[in-house]
């Protein structure tokens, strides 16, 4: 079982509940060590006295508040603890607010709150159920690790959750940091706005965090595996071009129709749906994402066979359930520019390798499409 990062009491009116805070999230980012180029020698960070150049032990390091150049007020850890007696061990709920009133920009880290003993289970569950039914959050301050936090206590199924909040003066005004923010001049009855709302409705899904995963982490691991095996590394597709303001209505209308037709054809995964692009490169990006684990850098022979098999299966489904089959249109010729435009850069590169296209490793996605569209190239 995890150990609490903080222990104290939670006060609610005249009720006092001993609790502990447990970290609710964990980092699964791929971490690298720093090495000197050309060697396997690790780079280490040390605490060094800048005057003498000698390393200093942790127990000999104190905090100093700078007054002016070369002059500091030294503060010991116990002195910081003494100026807030009792407060560092108390979460005192000062009031309750509606959850929707707290803007997401104020939320910081999240902790699970647990009772410090089975005998406090009844009080704990009473508080959790009351917060859950009221749909409110308790606001309190908390001193932890030498810093005071504004916090919000709320209920989740089976557990109380504490969010640290940013103070008001820590949240920037967007007008001060984001250049060229547009004026709110869009008419509520404009055709573009109504079409954009239709697109949102067409793409509305149920929230399930299990449907999403860190695809960048997977790509980093594939990169490391490929370099370890000495295989060639294929880059990701380039980002789509910006939407032309003049063609905005047309792009929105096509996006709505595309979303509705995809829904009639059985739909796609939620993570893929969220990443749909209106520039025409969306399907390629989706395929690259969902095939991430399957398209790990394998040998060229097995990779070519598996990729070809997947494309044949995928193309068969699209022909059976897509708009072209429904309208009785003939299937596109394999290898045509329209067909190639729906492929990811990785898939295009695989075709270029099979066709022995010269200079393929330095080509962009568009250049690969152009090269493969030439007669006999993408057979």
């Amino acid at each position: 079982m995890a150990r609490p990062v903080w222990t104290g009491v939670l006060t609610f009116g005249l009720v006092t509940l001993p609790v502990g805070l447990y970290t609710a999230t964990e980092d699964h980012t791929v971490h690298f060590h720093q090495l000197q180029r050309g060697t396997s020698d690790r780079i280490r960070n040390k605490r060094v006295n800048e005057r003498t150049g000698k390393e200093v032990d942790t127990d000999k390091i104190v905090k100093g508040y700078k007054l002016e150049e070369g002059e500091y007020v030294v503060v010991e850890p116990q002195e910081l603890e003494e100026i807030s007696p009792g407060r560092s061990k108390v979460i005192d709920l000062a009031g309750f607010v509606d959850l929707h009133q707290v803007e997401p920009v104020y939320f910081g880290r999240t902790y699970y709150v647990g009772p410090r003993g089975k005998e406090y289970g009844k009080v704990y569950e009473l508080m959790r159920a009351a917060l859950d039914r009221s749909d409110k959050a308790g606001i309190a301050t908390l001193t932890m690790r030498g810093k005071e936090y504004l916090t919000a206590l709320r209920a989740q199924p089976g557990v109380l959750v504490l969010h640290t909040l940013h103070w008001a003066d820590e949240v920037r005004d967007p007008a001060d940091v984001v250049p060229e923010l547009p004026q709110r001049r869009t008419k509520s009855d404009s055709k573009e706005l109504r079409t954009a709302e239709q697109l949102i409705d067409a793409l509305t899904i149920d929230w399930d965090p299990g449907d999403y995963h860190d695809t960048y982490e997977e790509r980093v691991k594939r990169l490391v595996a490929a370099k370890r095996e000495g295989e060639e590394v294929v880059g990701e597709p380039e980002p789509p071009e910006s939407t032309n303001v003049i063609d905005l209505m047309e792009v929105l209308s096509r996006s709505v129709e595309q979303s509705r037709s995809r829904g009639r054809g059985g739909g796609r995964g939620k993570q893929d749906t969220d990443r749909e692009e209106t520039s025409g490169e969306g399907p390629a990006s989706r395929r690259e994402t969902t095939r991430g684990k399957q398209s790990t850098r394998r040998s060229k022979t097995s990779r070519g066979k598996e990729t070809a098999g997947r494309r044949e299966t995928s193309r068969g489904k699209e022909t059976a359930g897509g708009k072209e089959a429904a309208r009785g249109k003939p299937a596109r010729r394999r290898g045509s520019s329209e067909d190639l435009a729906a492929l990811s850069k990785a898939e295009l590169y695989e075709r270029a390798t099979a066709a022995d296209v010269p200079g393929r490793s330095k080509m962009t996605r568009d250049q690969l499409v152009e090269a493969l569209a030439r007669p006999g190239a993408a057979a």
Side-chain angles (χ1 to χ4, degrees), residues 220-231 296-297:
V220 172
K221 290 181 178 179
R222 293 202 301 271
L223 168 65
V224 173
K227 297 199 69 173
R228 183 178 182 181
E229 298 297 328
E231 296 180 359
T296 307
R297 316 301 183 189

Side-chain angles (χ1 to χ4, degrees), residues 85-150:
R87 293 190 64 191
S88 61
K89 296 295 181 182
V90 178
I91 302 175
D92 185 13
L93 298 177
F96 297 87
V97 300
D98 292 331
L99 280 174
H100 66 82
Q101 289 183 327
V102 185
E103 294 289 344
V105 69
Y106 284 93
F107 285 92
R109 299 198 64 179
T110 302
Y111 298 90
Y112 292 135
V113 182
R116 299 287 288 165
K118 294 183 179 179
E119 63 271 28
Y120 302 108
K122 182 177 180 180
V123 179
Y124 178 90
E125 176 56 23
L126 175 66
M127 183 177 295
R128 191 207 65 80
L131 283 174
D132 188 31
R133 293 182 62 177
S134 65
D135 198 28
K136 294 182 182 295
I139 303 299
T141 55
L142 164 69
T143 302
M144 179 172 59
R145 297 171 180 170
K147 183 178 179 180
E148 187 174 36
Y149 295 91
L150 182 65

Side-chain angles (χ1 to χ4, degrees), residues 139-178:
I139 303 299
T141 55
L142 164 69
T143 302
M144 179 172 59
R145 297 171 180 170
K147 183 178 179 180
E148 187 174 36
Y149 295 91
L150 182 65
T151 64
L153 181 74
R154 61 186 295 262
Q156 281 189 189
V159 67
L160 285 171
V161 174
L162 187 80
H163 302 284
T164 60
L165 304 175
H166 296 292
W167 301 97
D169 59 359
E170 293 178 331
V171 177
R172 297 176 175 180
D173 186 334
D176 296 335
V177 295
V178 183

Side-chain angles (χ1 to χ4, degrees), residues 50-114:
E50 67 176 17
R51 181 178 60 82
T52 65
K54 296 181 178 180
E55 188 174 357
V56 180
D57 295 334
T58 304
D59 59 355
K60 294 183 179 180
I61 298 176
V62 295
K63 293 184 177 182
Y65 184 86
K66 186 176 180 179
L67 297 178
E68 55 185 54
E69 191 63 35
E71 185 176 354
Y72 295 86
V73 174
V74 177
V75 181
E76 300 289 345
Q78 59 268 27
E79 292 176 321
L80 293 173
E81 186 71 21
E82 289 172 358
I83 63 174
S84 57
R87 293 190 64 191
S88 61
K89 296 295 181 182
V90 178
I91 302 175
D92 185 13
L93 298 177
F96 297 87
V97 300
D98 292 331
L99 280 174
H100 66 82
Q101 289 183 327
V102 185
E103 294 289 344
V105 69
Y106 284 93
F107 285 92
R109 299 198 64 179
T110 302
Y111 298 90
Y112 292 135
V113 182

Side-chain angles (χ1 to χ4, degrees), residues 175-209:
D176 296 335
V177 295
V178 183
E180 301 178 4
L181 277 177
Q183 298 293 327
R184 299 177 61 180
R185 295 177 179 174
T186 303
K187 298 180 180 179
S188 59
D189 60 345
S190 70
K191 189 174 182 180
E192 290 87 352
L193 180 58
R194 291 196 301 272
T195 307
E197 290 174 342
Q198 291 174 6
L199 178 58
I200 292 174
D201 290 338
L203 295 176
T204 296
I205 58 176
D206 293 325
W207 164 243
D208 184 354

Side-chain angles (χ1 to χ4, degrees), residues 325-377:
R327 295 175 182 175
K329 293 184 178 180
R332 287 194 296 265
R333 179 177 59 86
R334 182 179 178 182
S336 67
S337 58
E338 293 86 352
D339 204 19
L340 294 170
L343 300 180
S344 67
K345 184 178 179 180
E347 292 169 329
L348 290 168
Y349 185 83
E350 289 165 3
R351 284 198 177 191
T353 301
D356 197 22
V357 175
R360 58 187 176 276
S361 62
K362 296 182 180 180
M363 288 185 178
T364 64
R365 183 181 178 280
D366 292 338
Q367 289 171 338
L368 286 170
V369 171
E370 182 179 354
L372 289 169
R374 294 167 187 159

